[in-house]
Amino acid sequence: QSSSSNSSSRDSSRPNFSSTMQSALRVAARRASPVATRQNRSLVTATKPKLGGGDHHHEHRVFSGEPFPKGKSALLVFGVAGLGVAVPLWSVAFQNKKHGFSK
């Protein structure tokens, strides 16, 4: 008699196969629901740009003619490059002079 009560307590602690199968079928049915009922939970929404596109009420002149004058552009590029070289050279010379290495 003790063995029958022991086996019944083991059976009650184990999940029933049919209830497990029913739960699996319920989960599968929920996942197979139509896509139209799902909510879109995207953080990014598609929006139409308000300025700069879509309206075509203004002229697009980005590459018509010369967008930048060559002389001013060359002066800017070589001036910045020259400063990028001159400032570190000057700072090295200044530190060397300050610490007495220029003698």
Side-chain angles (χ1 to χ4, degrees):
Q1 192 177 20
S2 66
S3 65
S4 66
S5 66
N6 192 10
S7 77
S8 66
S9 67
R10 264 190 272 145
D11 290 340
S12 65
S13 67
R14 268 191 260 168
N16 190 355
F17 178 74
S18 64
S19 68
T20 305
M21 189 59 128
Q22 287 174 353
S23 296
L25 287 173
R26 269 189 252 125
V27 169
R30 267 188 256 139
R31 290 189 186 244
S33 66
V35 177
T37 61
R38 291 186 185 167
Q39 292 181 357
N40 187 6
R41 297 187 184 267
S42 175
L43 295 175
V44 179
T45 59
T47 59
K48 180 182 175 186
K50 292 182 175 141
L51 297 175
D55 58 355
H56 296 291
H57 294 296
H58 60 278
E59 211 176 323
H60 296 271
R61 301 182 316 148
V62 176
F63 294 109
S64 63
E66 190 177 336
F68 302 105
K70 288 182 183 177
K72 288 182 181 178
S73 298
L75 181 65
L76 180 69
V77 168
F78 290 116
V80 169
L83 281 173
V85 171
V87 168
L89 288 177
W90 176 82
S91 65
V92 167
F94 180 78
Q95 285 295 333
N96 285 338
K97 183 178 177 184
K98 188 167 80 170
H99 291 289
F101 294 117
S102 62
K103 293 180 183 179

